[in-house]
């Protein structure tokens, strides 16, 4: 299966009538493996800061999480594995697998829990598959 299929069918899937607003699978080095059409253009330093937070949990909390120039307030995640952020009525979930970051961005009416479930379930599957 192609990485684009994972984004289209697993990250951008419907859950209780809702969809993520955008999603991507990005290599640890910042290379884009696959993304939805409206995924924000991000800067390499934003990915570097996210990777640093996985290595040093809490490093993003004081400054916030930036992706595509949008600032998210960092909220509870799983140190070393999941970073969650909130901005207004939406937010972001980032799951780290062995080789990639799975990123889901949502807006209402999708809930944070729905976004977490979509992104983290696929991340767990990819980890089991060695990715």
């Amino acid at each position: 299966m192609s990485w684009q299929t994972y984004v289209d069918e697993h990250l951008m899937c419907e859950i209780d009538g809702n969809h993520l607003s955008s999603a991507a699978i990005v290599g640890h080095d910042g290379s884009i493996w696959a993304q939805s059409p409206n995924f924000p253009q991000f800067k390499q330093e934003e990915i570097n800061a996210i990777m640093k937070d996985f290595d040093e949990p809490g490093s993003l909390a004081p400054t916030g999480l930036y992706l595509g120039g949008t600032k998210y307030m960092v909220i509870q995640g799983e140190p070393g594995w999941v970073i969650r952020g909130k901005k207004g009525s939406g937010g972001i979930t980032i799951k780290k697998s062995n080789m990639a970051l799975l990123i889901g961005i949502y807006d209402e009416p999708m809930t944070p829990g729905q976004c977490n479930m979509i992104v983290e379930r696929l991340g767990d599957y990819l980890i089991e598959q060695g990715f």
Side-chain angles (χ1 to χ4, degrees):
M1 190 178 334
S2 79
W3 293 113
Q4 192 62 49
T5 304
Y6 281 108
V7 170
D8 296 342
E9 295 182 6
H10 297 282
L11 291 176
M12 297 301 292
C13 66
E14 180 182 320
I15 182 167
D16 297 331
N18 301 319
H19 297 268
L20 293 172
S21 51
S22 62
I25 301 174
V26 178
H28 288 181
D29 62 357
S31 60
I32 297 170
W33 292 12
Q35 64 183 1
S36 63
N38 54 346
F39 191 77
Q41 179 70 44
F42 57 83
K43 296 184 176 89
Q44 182 62 46
E45 52 266 23
E46 294 172 332
I47 297 298
N48 294 346
I50 290 166
M51 289 302 296
K52 180 181 178 192
D53 193 81
F54 282 119
D55 293 334
E56 301 170 29
S59 66
L60 283 177
T63 58
L65 160 66
Y66 286 86
L67 191 74
T70 299
K71 181 180 180 180
Y72 298 89
M73 179 179 67
V74 178
I75 55 176
Q76 171 268 334
E78 293 174 35
W81 292 103
V82 179
I83 300 171
R84 298 184 185 108
K86 189 93 174 104
K87 179 180 175 24
S89 61
I92 187 168
T93 301
I94 305 171
K95 170 79 175 188
K96 179 183 175 209
S97 74
N98 300 329
M99 299 167 66
L101 302 175
L102 289 81
I103 305 171
I105 300 173
Y106 69 93
D107 287 304
E108 283 187 330
M110 179 169 266
T111 66
Q114 290 170 325
C115 178
N116 296 343
M117 188 165 59
I118 289 170
V119 174
E120 294 174 36
R121 190 173 9 181
L122 180 58
D124 290 340
Y125 170 77
L126 292 178
I127 289 168
E128 289 171 13
Q129 302 304 308
F131 293 105

